[in-house]
Amino acid sequence: MGQAMRSESISRGLLSDQVYELLRSSILDKSRRPGSRLVESELARNLEVSQAPVREALKRLVHEGLVVSAPRRGSYVTEFSRDEFEVARQLRAVVEQLGAQLAARAVTEEELTDLDRVVEKMQDSVARHDWATFRLCDMEFHTRALELARQPVLQRVWSALQPALISQRAIGDPAFADSGETMVQWHADLVDVLRSGEADRAGEMFRAHASGALTPGQTNAP
């Protein structure tokens, strides 16, 4: 009896994970626009699942800030004003600058190799025109880079900023630069500057990248 209940719980958990990944990807690739409504019953019907895994997936997205939920209003894809986004963008530049300065002093070659792999995944997603995966890889890159600073407070601030940046396509959007290839080269350059160990230059390049002022192959930030 206990074994059967445990298996059912695991099965439902895996189903919830799948629904979560599908909904998250649809937000990241802009299939579901900011402000669009997410109706549990409708999603369950379209995905051919019960409402329970949809409800669990939506709770996770609310926790991440990608979805907002209000009594009697339902759930919606998070929408941010331009003013909110501008504040988030400025904060991002400061956080990434400080994070890169600290990371350049502490990063190991193994950690840099991990970042190289993320850049390779970004390149592969560009080749396949898979922009949802591209955005996920971009977020993974910057999340990992901040982890290298060894300062949990920076990671918490980054997590709080992500939804606003995603909403305005300031993370992982090929249109934010000239092309997906451009964005890939930017990130390769950022790994190189961390590898150099030059903390101040690393900070300036990450700040310039966050503000859109960095160009591929640039060795010094403006």
Side-chain angles (χ1 to χ4, degrees):
M1 178 74 171
Q3 180 64 43
M5 290 179 64
R6 183 160 59 250
S7 297
E8 181 181 349
S9 175
I10 291 173
S11 177
R12 187 169 66 179
L14 292 173
L15 187 57
S16 173
D17 288 344
Q18 293 176 47
V19 174
Y20 162 78
E21 293 295 343
L22 285 170
L23 292 178
R24 193 168 191 264
S25 292
S26 69
I27 293 172
L28 292 174
D29 67 14
K30 309 300 278 190
S31 297
R32 299 183 188 277
R33 308 292 298 180
S36 60
R37 192 177 181 192
L38 300 166
V39 182
E40 275 186 26
S41 58
E42 180 181 315
L43 291 169
R45 185 169 59 254
N46 291 340
L47 295 173
E48 299 182 343
V49 298
S50 69
Q51 288 187 220
V54 173
R55 188 175 304 119
E56 291 168 11
L58 288 175
K59 286 179 180 178
R60 290 177 64 182
L61 292 167
V62 168
H63 180 72
E64 288 187 7
L66 294 177
V67 169
V68 292
S69 183
R72 296 183 296 278
R73 291 191 64 246
S75 300
Y76 296 82
V77 177
T78 303
E79 186 172 25
F80 293 88
S81 69
R82 292 298 303 179
D83 287 343
E84 288 176 305
F85 164 65
E86 183 57 28
V87 171
R89 187 188 65 79
Q90 292 180 36
L91 283 173
R92 176 195 177 183
V94 173
V95 168
E96 293 219 57
Q97 180 175 17
L98 178 56
Q101 288 173 338
L102 296 171
R105 299 187 182 108
V107 68
T108 67
E109 185 56 39
E110 182 179 0
E111 290 167 332
L112 289 167
T113 299
D114 286 340
L115 283 181
D116 286 332
R117 293 193 186 101
V118 177
V119 175
E120 289 172 4
K121 287 194 294 184
M122 292 177 70
Q123 179 68 68
D124 180 63
S125 67
V126 169
R128 292 183 289 106
H129 301 285
D130 182 354
W131 305 124
T133 299
F134 184 90
R135 292 186 180 93
L136 287 171
C137 289
D138 197 3
M139 284 189 290
E140 180 184 357
F141 180 96
H142 290 281
T143 299
R144 285 183 181 230
L146 282 173
E147 288 172 353
L148 301 180
R150 276 77 168 169
Q151 291 293 332
V153 66
L154 293 180
Q155 298 170 45
R156 291 196 293 271
V157 173
W158 172 251
S159 294
L161 294 176
Q162 274 189 2
L165 297 170
I166 292 169
S167 176
Q168 297 296 335
R169 295 194 177 195
I171 300 178
D173 184 5
F176 185 64
D178 295 324
S179 68
E181 293 288 347
T182 299
M183 291 289 280
V184 171
Q185 185 58 55
W186 276 8
H187 288 81
D189 292 344
L190 293 176
V191 177
D192 287 343
V193 75
L194 288 177
R195 187 170 271 116
S196 76
E198 298 178 49
D200 289 341
R201 189 161 69 92
E204 284 303 306
M205 285 185 66
F206 269 78
R207 179 197 59 75
H209 171 75
S211 63
L214 184 65
T215 58
Q218 188 174 328
T219 56
N220 293 290

